[in-house]
């Protein structure tokens, strides 16, 4: 699924790295617990979270994730945006709640990350 | 590579915001060395979990990463309170982290299990009141 499609499905505002929106992602993970996110590895994945601290960006970076979607109208600060820009990670913000955002992406074909290393 | 390449980092225990900087740098260094992406990811995640643990539980410490022909070795050393029961700490879901740490997205009791999951070997040397040294290896 292209990240531009994620933006459209979630009615999201793109916060950085808009130039990468035409890249594909193949799976997604929704969580506010970063250690849970770190349990699973999939290439080119999307992280959906309501957490807004720099460790969200670091977690995505360690996992080689390409996109972070902040749900529930949460907004990252300038430092986080700068970190994501350095890594080329697309960040978006949506007013949708976690359950609705994950469900919308799942029903449109973006699968989960239920595979261990 | 006949000699080990060694990277040393001091992990600041006072600043949760900066936690993970050493792991970020190691990831960049390993990329420059041309290591396979899956190896880099496993090393990065294991070290990142360890770095976070050092900040949360032990007021920081040091991280030494060496790259040889055979493996990447990560040694995390702290002077924290030590781990009273390693077997219990290795169980998924067991955590002594505070609610404030949980609100930051960590303390789910997955740190040590994740470190073991992503590495080929992990040794924990801990002494109450003295500190903990964790040595992890990812084979190349």
């Amino acid at each position: 699924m292209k990240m531009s499609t994620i933006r459209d499905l979630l009615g999201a505002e793109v916060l950085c790295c808009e130039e990468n929106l035409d890249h594909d992602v193949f799976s997604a993970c929704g969580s506010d617990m970063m250690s849970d996110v770190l349990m699973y590895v999939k290439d080119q994945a999307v992280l959906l979270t309501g957490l807004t601290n720099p460790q969200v960006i670091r977690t995505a970076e360690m996992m080689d994730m390409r996109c972070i979607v902040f749900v529930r109208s949460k907004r990252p600060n300038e430092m986080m945006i700068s970190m994501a820009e350095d890594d080329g990670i697309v960040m978006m913000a949506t007013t949708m709640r976690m359950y609705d955002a994950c469900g919308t992406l799942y029903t449109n074909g973006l699968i989960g990350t239920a595979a261990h290393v | 590579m006949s000699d080990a390449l060694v990277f040393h980092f001091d992990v600041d225990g006072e600043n949760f915001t900066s936690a993970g900087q050493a792991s970020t740098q190691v990831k960049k260094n390993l990329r420059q060395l041309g290591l396979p992406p899956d190896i880099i990811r496993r090393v990065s995640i294991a070290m990142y979990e360890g770095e976070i643990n050092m900040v949360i539980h032990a007021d920081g410490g040091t991280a030494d990463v060496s790259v040889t022909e055979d493996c990447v070795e990560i040694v995390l050393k702290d002077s924290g309170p030590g781990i009273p029961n390693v077997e219990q700490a290795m169980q998924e879901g067991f955590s002594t982290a505070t609610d404030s740490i949980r609100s930051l997205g960590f303390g789910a009791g997955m740190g040590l299990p994740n470190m073991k999951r992503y590495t080929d070997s992990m040794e924990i040397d801990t002494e109450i009141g003295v500190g903990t040294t964790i040595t992890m290896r990812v084979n190349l």
Side-chain angles (χ1 to χ4, degrees), chain A residues 14-81:
Chain A
V14 178
L15 305 173
C16 71
C17 297
E18 197 160 1
E19 67 276 11
N20 294 335
L21 279 177
D22 62 341
H23 292 185
D24 285 308
V25 290
F26 301 107
S27 62
C29 175
S31 181
D32 288 350
M33 293 303 286
M34 293 301 105
S35 279
D36 283 345
V37 177
L38 288 162
M39 270 186 74
Y40 301 103
V41 172
K42 281 268 188 172
D43 276 328
Q44 295 171 269
V46 180
L47 171 61
L48 295 97
T49 186
L51 195 66
T52 51
N53 70 53
Q55 300 311 332
V56 174
I57 315 297
R58 291 233 164 77
T59 297
E61 187 185 350
M62 296 303 153
M63 302 290 284
D64 297 322
M65 289 174 140
R66 303 291 178 87
C67 178
I68 301 171
V69 178
F70 294 97
V71 298
R72 306 193 298 270
S73 303
K74 297 293 178 75
R75 311 280 299 199
N77 61 25
E78 287 302 318
M79 185 182 77
M80 292 175 66
I81 291 174

Side-chain angles (χ1 to χ4, degrees), chain B residues 2-72:
Chain B
S2 54
D3 297 321
L5 277 170
V6 180
F7 309 111
H8 173 81
F9 303 91
D10 292 316
V11 177
D12 181 3
E14 300 291 318
N15 191 348
F16 183 79
T17 298
S18 66
Q21 281 183 341
S23 305
T24 300
Q25 188 57 50
V26 164
K27 185 159 193 170
K28 286 178 183 166
N29 292 353
L30 297 184
R31 271 190 189 140
Q32 285 176 350
L33 289 172
L35 267 59
D38 63 315
I39 296 284
I40 294 173
R41 186 160 49 197
R42 288 169 58 201
V43 169
S44 304
I45 295 171
M47 181 171 170
Y48 178 55
E49 287 277 25
E51 205 181 334
I52 291 285
N53 268 353
M54 281 202 291
V55 173
I56 292 174
H57 298 291
D59 201 20
T62 60
D64 289 278
V65 178
S66 57
V67 185
T68 67
E69 283 183 353
D70 303 323
C71 74
V72 180

Side-chain angles (χ1 to χ4, degrees), chain B residues 103-121:
Chain B
S103 72
L104 293 169
F106 289 90
M110 295 309 300
L112 285 171
N114 274 349
M115 290 159 70
K116 186 174 177 62
R117 175 177 292 116
Y118 288 113
T119 55
D120 291 302
S121 72

